[in-house]
Amino acid sequence: MLFMLIVKASQNSEGGNLPSPELNEAMSKYNEELVKAGVRVAAKGLYPSSNGIRISFPKPGEKPVVTDGPFTETKELIAGFILIDVKSREEAIEWAMRMPDPQGLGEGQIELRQVIEDPIMFAREAAKLRKKSEKEKL
Amino acid sequence: MTTCETHRTIEGIWTVESAKIIAGVARIVQDVSIAEDLSQEALVIALEKWPESGIPEKPGAWLMTVAKRRAIDLLRRNKLRDQKYVEISRNIESKMKYDYDSIDEEINDDLLRLIFTTCHSVLSRESRVALTLKLLCGLKTVEIAQAFLVSESTIAQRIVRAKRTLSASKVTIEVPDGPELLRRLSSVLEVIYLMFNEGYVATGGENWIRPTLCYEAIRLGRILAEVLPGEPEVHGLLALMEIQASRFKARIGTSGEPILLMDQNRALWDSLLIHRGFSALKRIEQIGGSYGPYSLQASIAACHARARTASETDWQGISALYDALVQVAPSPIVELNRAVAISMAYGPASGLVIVDALEDDPFLKNYHLLPVVRGDLLVKLGRNEEACAEFKRAASFTQNKQERTFLLKRATDCVKI
């Protein structure tokens, strides 16, 4: 199964600062480990949101609106992603745990999201999640 | 963390580490069966200890150390007759620290040794596949059984027998070199590709476990490409599997019927996998390797992947690649595929000449694709009656229900017109 490890942005990454040489080295080692284990599918870092463009659809049926970055809600932004192909959710978590703190200063955050690969599997998972949230409501 | 959570975490760690640990221990004890047992013991200790003590900083190194210590204890207990082993164990112990990084290269070598052992030619093909899935991919016996549609005890026996054969034949756990490496590598690649195909032919739906064979094969291929970067055929096989896997979703219709390559919706092809396949092919160029059977098949698959629509397919290029493939790996099946390529590039009549020459090949007797191809070419030549007979013949050869229905439909279609 494919998982996307989404690295959240920080003030530092949004400021367009490059990671420290130590972090760079730790990251490339981590990347190498992923490649050697045969799990890394793709990995990319992104420019800060000041380089970004947003297309929004505030009025259905009308032309979308284009907004240039930067965007302010730093915590919601992403700084990069790694796509891994693993056997289980547990394995995905294990790999994510091994990633070096991507931002430092207490701002580092990685979000794991499973990639939809099979529509039937998706329907099953979605049904499971729906049930879970219904139970929680009760 | 609750015990249950810790166990789930350990499960994840085990998926990542088990092959490396088994491989590391196998080098010490020179026996895959004992290596597997000792690694399992280390896992059991972790399952007992970690819920209380917490998960160590480097769990993989922890497990490896525990398993290797047990291996050394075992060697000592067995009152080593051989001075050599005493030295080996002393050597290992002195190097054994909780530092994983310094032994990184060693881990690669261990994995390579293990795969050369589980794919050793003293074992039958099916044993090689089962043992590799068990030790290198970490699949449970029951999972392997489900994947091959046989009983769990059949697989369990197969694995036990394979381990016994390895010990009885005194197979050393090593990476061969020179011409021996190439010979044994071809057995490794064969096992991986068998695994892939076993998963690929499954049409899915009823059996969810089978596609995991494709996944395991690709993962092994990706690992192998990292530990043996100088071998062109390793990249060739990986490229072939990545590109074939890219068509996974497109090759089966909504009711489970197979869809031929030329009729597939190319928008469903996984561009990420295609891209990875191309990169693997590029590595062959970079190392300046010669093109073996896998690299050539991958190049053919790449030609298809490059065409945005079926009509853009470079059939002349594909024909040339098949010409080369027939040279390096002559087989009636390759010849049959070459006939298809040539018919697409130079007209159905040119293809039919090659197919007709295969008619009496004993290897293709009862092979359903021979009449399928012949039927295809006959339709193109307007010889519909003959084509109908060929499709019916093909249908009688296949065991797959969906395929049979599909072929019978083609038979009636060509006399309808």
Side-chain angles (χ1 to χ4, degrees), chain B residues 52-67:
Chain B
E52 282 192 21
S53 67
I55 290 163
E57 177 90 357
K58 290 192 169 173
W62 191 98
L63 287 163
M64 181 75 98
T65 307
V66 169

Side-chain angles (χ1 to χ4, degrees), chain A residues 12-44:
Chain A
N12 193 47
S13 72
E14 275 296 291
N17 299 315
L18 291 170
S20 68
E22 294 81 30
L23 178 58
N24 234 339
E25 204 197 310
M27 270 297 179
S28 55
K29 240 178 118 186
Y30 174 66
N31 247 304
E32 210 178 293
E33 211 187 321
L34 291 174
V35 173
K36 277 192 178 151
V39 297
R40 200 195 77 168
V41 178
K44 295 286 173 203

Side-chain angles (χ1 to χ4, degrees), chain B residues 56-85:
Chain B
E57 177 90 357
K58 290 192 169 173
W62 191 98
L63 287 163
M64 181 75 98
T65 307
V66 169
K68 281 190 175 173
R69 287 239 161 90
R70 303 215 131 210
I72 292 164
D73 286 347
L74 182 82
L75 287 182
R76 288 209 179 117
R77 258 206 313 279
N78 285 355
K79 287 200 188 121
L80 302 151
R81 279 141 284 188
D82 194 340
Q83 187 60 27
K84 203 176 76 192
Y85 282 118

Side-chain angles (χ1 to χ4, degrees), chain B residues 339-356 373-383:
Chain B
V340 175
I342 287 191
S343 76
M344 296 302 285
Y346 307 104
S350 326
L352 194 60
V353 177
I354 303 173
V355 175
D356 286 344
V373 170
R374 197 155 185 275
D376 272 336
L377 296 177
L378 289 167
V379 169
K380 282 180 189 154
L381 291 166
R383 290 154 66 175

